[in-house]
Amino acid sequence: NSFCTLLANTMAQTIRIVHLSDTHSCHGEIEQRFGPLPPADVLLHTGDFTNDGTDEELAAFDAWLASVGDRYSAVAVIPGNHDWRGALHGLAQGTLDAATVNSGKYLKDRLPHATVLMHETLEWGGLRIFGSAWDPWQCSADPDRSTVDQHKPGSALTAAVFGRRKAWEAFAAAEASSNAPKKEADGDDEDPSDTAADAASLLHPAHRMRLIPADTDVLLTHGPARGIMDDVEGSHTAWGSSLFLRRAIEASRVRCHLFGHMHEQRGVWQRRDPTEPYTGGVEYCVRDGEPPTSTPPPPPAGDPYPCRLICCNAQLNHTGIEGISQKYTGAPRLIIAFRDADDEPWAFRVVAHF
């Protein structure tokens, strides 16, 4: 509170942000565990607000948003991989169409008490927040993998994999058709869909990461960029991260990156400018009293990686590693964005784990 007061008294513009992630249908326990959410301007959730993305879970999450939303001027969320499970089953069973799912209408209709950012920008108080949502066809272990690689030949084609494939094929076809050059009617017998099919074959599962705008202030994704907070406990192996995302962050000069997904990598890296080293680290502990898990270091001082704040806030424990049921191990984070004039870039700092 003293740091927030100092910034408010010395900086012309401050915006308070509460960051939630990976609450997995336990949102009702947040204030029981950590006390009331603090006053802030913006509430952001970076996905996996449900376990299975069922209509019942989505309705419960929206009801919770309705109960806390009046405390904030803006509430925005992006889906994580778990939040698409219900839609994927609907696609597999033929009860949903891929266009409704891929456009985000499926989730927006079910979460009226939040702004669901499906590769869209929300601007509040001069702060540009872009939600690069997890797409329904992406693989949880590697969002850069193609859908063809998501199951082994001869193995059972699960409803989830079948749903991902239908979502991907519909997206690729729509993208290819809209971007394919028009053919001239020259009287030949070539199928006019060939150009679109060829273009679709060149698309990549992480294709929509190219939509991250230049000079984005706050980027919301569900998973990490490759090589940053993506270590699997005890293996030093990247999991759930995207090389395409890292390249997009570097190209778009993102200043603040908020995400979750990697429960065992919950933590913060922050610095004032690229000439300084990052401070912070991974906070997650497999068991109480044990030191935090190992993780690759962030880019060193002098590296041009643009993020001033990198925050993974997957709040629930990793049940597979710990062998116990779900529980909260991480609090919501309070982040302050501040600057002294409209023409200055925003700076960011985590000020509380309340």
Side-chain angles (χ1 to χ4, degrees):
N1 286 336
S2 60
F3 185 76
C4 295
T5 301
L6 175 64
L7 285 177
N9 291 335
T10 57
M11 304 300 292
Q13 300 177 42
T14 60
I15 295 176
R16 296 163 61 104
I17 300 166
V18 174
H19 176 210
L20 311 175
S21 196
D22 296 79
T23 49
H24 289 281
S25 290
C26 294
H27 35 267
E29 301 172 21
I30 293 176
E31 294 189 302
Q32 298 175 19
R33 172 70 173 79
F34 302 107
L37 295 173
D41 302 299
V42 181
L43 177 68
L44 302 175
H45 197 300
T46 51
D48 278 7
F49 32 81
T50 69
N51 277 317
D52 294 303
T54 64
D55 283 346
E56 294 76 15
E57 286 181 320
L58 292 170
F61 180 59
D62 188 66
W64 181 79
L65 290 174
S67 72
V68 302
D70 288 346
R71 309 178 203 176
Y72 304 96
S73 298
V75 177
V77 306
I78 61 168
N81 54 301
H82 279 258
D83 305 317
W84 287 118
R85 288 181 173 180
L88 294 176
H89 281 269
L91 287 174
Q93 295 165 0
T95 58
L96 289 173
D97 67 276
T100 298
V101 173
N102 290 350
S103 68
K105 185 178 186 301
Y106 170 83
L107 285 177
K108 291 180 180 184
D109 287 349
R110 288 160 173 77
L111 300 176
H113 290 96
T115 299
V116 180
L117 296 175
M118 287 293 297
H119 308 279
E120 299 165 293
T121 296
L122 168 69
E123 185 164 343
W124 193 90
L127 191 70
R128 296 183 301 275
I129 303 167
F130 186 81
S132 183
W134 190 276
D135 284 314
W137 54 80
Q138 289 180 295
C139 175
S140 58
D142 184 355
D144 291 347
R145 276 172 52 190
S146 76
T147 52
V148 176
D149 296 331
Q150 290 181 17
H151 78 285
K152 296 178 180 179
S155 63
L157 190 63
T158 65
V161 172
F162 186 61
R164 287 192 194 105
R165 176 168 289 179
K166 289 185 71 173
W168 168 249
E169 289 175 349
F171 168 74
E175 283 286 294
S177 295
S178 63
N179 295 321
K182 302 298 181 182
K183 286 194 171 187
E184 297 182 2
D186 53 9
D188 61 24
D189 295 328
E190 189 174 5
D191 187 340
S193 66
D194 285 349
T195 302
D198 291 343
S201 69
L202 299 176
L203 290 177
H204 190 277
H207 189 59
R208 289 210 270 193
M209 290 176 186
R210 80 195 195 288
L211 300 177
I212 298 172
D215 297 318
T216 291
D217 297 314
V218 179
L219 174 64
L220 311 181
T221 68
H222 182 56
R226 183 63 50 83
I228 298 177
M229 291 181 167
D230 64 349
D231 235 21
V232 172
E233 172 69 27
S235 72
H236 304 284
T237 301
W239 191 95
S241 60
S242 169
L243 179 59
F244 277 69
L245 174 59
R246 177 151 183 170
R247 290 171 177 170
I249 288 172
E250 292 171 345
S252 300
R253 311 303 301 164
V254 172
R255 300 187 66 81
C256 173
H257 182 201
L258 308 182
F259 58 96
H261 193 42
M262 291 295 292
H263 291 250
E264 68 268 43
Q265 294 284 272
R266 178 176 49 80
V268 172
W269 293 109
Q270 53 190 342
R271 64 181 178 183
R272 288 184 296 181
D273 63 70
T275 64
E276 297 182 352
Y278 282 98
T279 59
V282 171
E283 304 158 350
Y284 179 85
C285 299
V286 176
R287 296 171 186 82
D288 292 341
E290 290 188 1
T293 182
S294 61
T295 185
D303 187 285
Y305 195 69
C307 293
R308 272 47 170 185
L309 175 63
I310 304 168
C311 176
C312 174
N313 199 32
Q315 292 175 249
L316 290 191
N317 63 319
H318 194 304
T319 58
I321 292 175
E322 298 179 19
I324 59 176
S325 59
Q326 286 183 337
K327 68 173 184 176
Y328 274 106
T329 59
R333 295 197 197 277
L334 178 61
I335 298 167
I336 304 297
F338 55 97
R339 65 181 181 181
D340 207 30
D342 288 346
D343 59 351
E344 290 186 357
W346 290 96
F348 299 89
R349 189 168 184 84
V350 170
V351 297
H353 308 268
F354 45 88

